[in-house]
Amino acid sequence: MSFLWSLIVGGIIGWLAGLIMGKDIPGGIIGNIIAGFVGAWLGGLLLGSWGPVMGGFALLPALIGAIVLVFIVSLIMRSMGKNRT
């Protein structure tokens, strides 16, 4: 049950990051879950593990990390789209 809860929280974090940035994350629900997990890892590296914890994620650093990840992915996707002719 703990793993399922982590998937749900990771998906919500990724979805919220996409909403805040106004960008869709490629991959739909699975992309949101991956963005949440990677964002939590990135946020933990950059900011530590402060704030409320849910599903094994420190929510504020995870959300900030996911926002940074969505921004980076959107830059990469935009540059890939411009290179195609």
Side-chain angles (χ1 to χ4, degrees), residues 1-2 9-10 16-18 26-27 30 46 49 56 60 65 72 79-80 82:
M1 184 66 177
S2 174
V9 173
L16 284 174
I30 294 174
L46 296 174
S49 60
L60 296 175
I72 292 169
S79 70
M80 287 175 60
K82 287 184 180 179

Side-chain angles (χ1 to χ4, degrees), residues 14-67:
W15 173 72
L16 284 174
L19 280 179
I20 291 169
M21 291 298 295
K23 308 280 185 192
D24 285 332
I25 298 172
I29 294 170
I30 294 174
N32 285 335
I33 293 170
I34 292 170
F37 272 85
V38 174
W41 173 77
L42 183 63
L45 284 178
L46 296 174
L47 304 169
S49 60
W50 51 273
V53 175
M54 183 180 292
F57 297 105
L59 295 178
L60 296 175
L63 183 58
I64 292 169
I67 289 170

